[in-house]
Amino acid sequence: MSESKSFISGCKGLSLTADEKAFFRNERPWGFILFGRNIGEPAQVADLTAEMRDCVGGDADIPVLIDQEGGRVQRIKPPHVQQYPNAAALGAIYRADEAKGLRASWLMSRLHAFDLLRLGINVDCLPVLDVAVPGVHDVIGNRAYGQEPEIVSAMGKAAAEGLKAGGMLPIMKHMPGHGRTMVDSHHDLPVVQASLEELDACDFVPFRRMNDELMAMSAHIVFTAIDPDNPATTSPTVVREIIRERIGFDGLLMSDDVSMNALRGDIAERTRGIIAAGLDMVLHCHGIMDEMLAVTENVPPLSGESLRRAKAVRAGFQAPDGADEQALREEFNAMIAVA
């Protein structure tokens, strides 16, 4: 069987169209991502994830991603799962009681794993390791655990461990740090003027402390002290000197969504820039077929270090720990009710 290509793809609706099935069979994305538009009843989601996997070989360890953070970034919502609190609310628990905060972070991720794995979703784009600065744009805002790198590091680690205990894998985001942005990178290019020393002492800390995780997502942000001309996602300098060397991350590095307008050029140019910068994987979320074709025409089959990292991810899935879902849910809900 031919090797997967270096991209992760979304789809348009609640089930795959004939064109999407043919595209996935022919182009072999490494993984898939779901959004709110793909979510109906639980049985429908499980059928969709099975359809996706069937197009590319059917293996259970083919990654299917979702952004299920809690707060406003929660793609699967009540009544199918409970509404979870945002990261800032968990960070507030930590500031009042460190042990309780860490337990809350772990529990929420463990509950995400119960919710998601039964639907065929095995990767959560969590934890958000961005260290918020005062005035940060709402694109991050209360998605951050706090303004202190130590709190973000500790809470992010607990969140990642909860996912792994439940049989899922985490994706750290947004490397090397999105907490200083004052504009929404979905629409505009954020530019961060902080010195390398400031970034190293704050923004990079959570990623450095979790640099042994298997996956991370890049930030569409220009750091003028490192590369004033290119956002991190398309900057060979940021990828090589900061992410790989200074942070020490050797896992699979994927882009944030290639469709976001912080990136310059058309989808083909953006895709080529991401691969040329040294990222392992291009993420395309919107299910727009013309854009999907532009991505797949400009990404290579997985090979070399990227293939090694991709194989490590698929080998990294573990069986769930056998925990009692009801007991953990009652513990968590009691904890947040009094927070």
Side-chain angles (χ1 to χ4, degrees):
M1 187 175 286
S2 62
E3 201 59 65
S4 299
K5 280 191 168 181
S6 303
F7 77 109
I8 296 165
S9 185
C11 70
K12 261 298 185 191
L14 299 176
S15 60
L16 298 183
T17 65
D19 285 349
E20 287 170 338
K21 289 180 181 178
F23 174 81
F24 293 148
R25 289 192 185 108
N26 291 335
E27 300 300 335
R28 301 191 57 76
W30 178 73
F32 301 92
I33 188 165
L34 300 185
F35 279 80
R37 66 178 181 275
N38 308 124
I39 307 301
E41 296 294 320
Q44 167 268 320
V45 181
D47 287 345
L48 175 58
T49 60
E51 269 191 311
M52 288 171 152
R53 288 193 173 94
D54 284 346
C55 290
V56 293
D59 296 341
D61 59 357
I62 293 165
V64 178
L65 289 59
I66 198 165
D67 293 288
Q68 191 79 347
E69 297 174 13
R72 61 192 164 80
V73 180
Q74 181 172 322
R75 308 301 184 202
I76 305 178
K77 303 177 185 296
H80 305 304
V81 303
Q82 75 180 76
Q83 179 62 52
Y84 292 98
N86 58 45
L90 297 183
I93 297 174
Y94 179 96
R95 279 188 290 276
D97 183 328
E98 290 186 11
K100 187 177 177 183
L102 294 175
R103 180 67 176 167
S105 185
W106 186 93
L107 280 169
M108 193 168 89
S109 284
R110 185 65 188 85
L111 294 174
H112 285 324
F114 281 118
D115 295 338
L116 299 174
L117 205 59
R118 61 173 65 107
L119 305 179
I121 300 165
N122 58 359
V123 176
D124 194 358
C125 301
L126 185 74
V128 176
L129 295 183
D130 304 317
V131 181
V133 300
V136 64
H137 190 278
D138 284 347
V139 71
I140 299 299
N142 61 21
R143 297 169 66 193
Y145 293 108
Q147 299 181 7
E148 307 86 355
E150 293 74 21
I151 292 178
V152 174
S153 302
M155 293 292 280
K157 184 68 172 174
E161 293 302 323
L163 290 173
K164 290 186 284 189
M168 296 187 66
L169 286 177
I171 296 177
M172 303 181 289
K173 58 189 187 186
H174 306 81
M175 194 178 276
H178 209 308
R180 296 177 187 269
T181 180
M182 299 298 163
V183 299
D184 185 346
S185 52
H186 293 85
H187 306 294
D188 300 292
L189 176 61
V191 176
V192 169
Q193 307 280 357
S195 69
L196 181 57
E197 292 72 24
E198 289 176 277
L199 295 167
D200 196 59
C202 181
D203 305 54
F204 302 165
V205 170
F207 297 104
R208 186 182 296 119
R209 291 186 181 171
M210 293 180 63
N211 65 10
D212 57 346
E213 295 294 340
L214 292 173
M215 287 183 282
M217 182 182 292
S218 69
H220 296 338
I221 293 179
V222 167
F223 296 93
T224 58
I226 305 164
D227 182 346
D229 300 318
N230 300 289
T233 298
T234 55
S235 170
T237 304
V238 172
V239 172
R240 182 181 64 253
E241 297 181 9
I242 303 303
I243 292 175
R244 296 303 188 195
E245 294 178 8
R246 189 176 286 258
I247 289 173
F249 176 67
D250 188 39
L252 185 138
L253 182 62
M254 68 186 68
S255 71
D256 204 344
D257 184 11
V258 66
S259 301
M260 291 165 63
N261 287 324
L263 300 181
R264 291 190 296 262
D266 60 22
I267 296 294
E269 291 171 290
R270 297 175 189 184
T271 298
R272 289 193 294 271
I274 290 165
I275 295 298
L279 275 72
D280 302 300
M281 199 72 59
V282 175
L283 176 65
H284 182 269
C285 296
H286 290 297
I288 298 168
M289 184 57 71
D290 287 350
E291 292 187 2
M292 290 155 65
L293 289 165
V295 170
T296 195
E297 287 166 3
N298 289 281
V299 294
L302 279 165
S303 63
E305 290 293 281
S306 293
L307 177 59
R308 174 184 64 79
R309 294 176 183 128
K311 286 182 172 178
V313 170
R314 290 187 55 171
F317 291 104
Q318 303 291 325
D321 59 8
D324 181 331
E325 178 179 0
Q326 190 59 35
L328 296 184
R329 201 168 290 280
E330 288 173 2
E331 180 187 356
F332 178 73
N333 287 337
M335 188 177 286
I336 61 172
V338 299

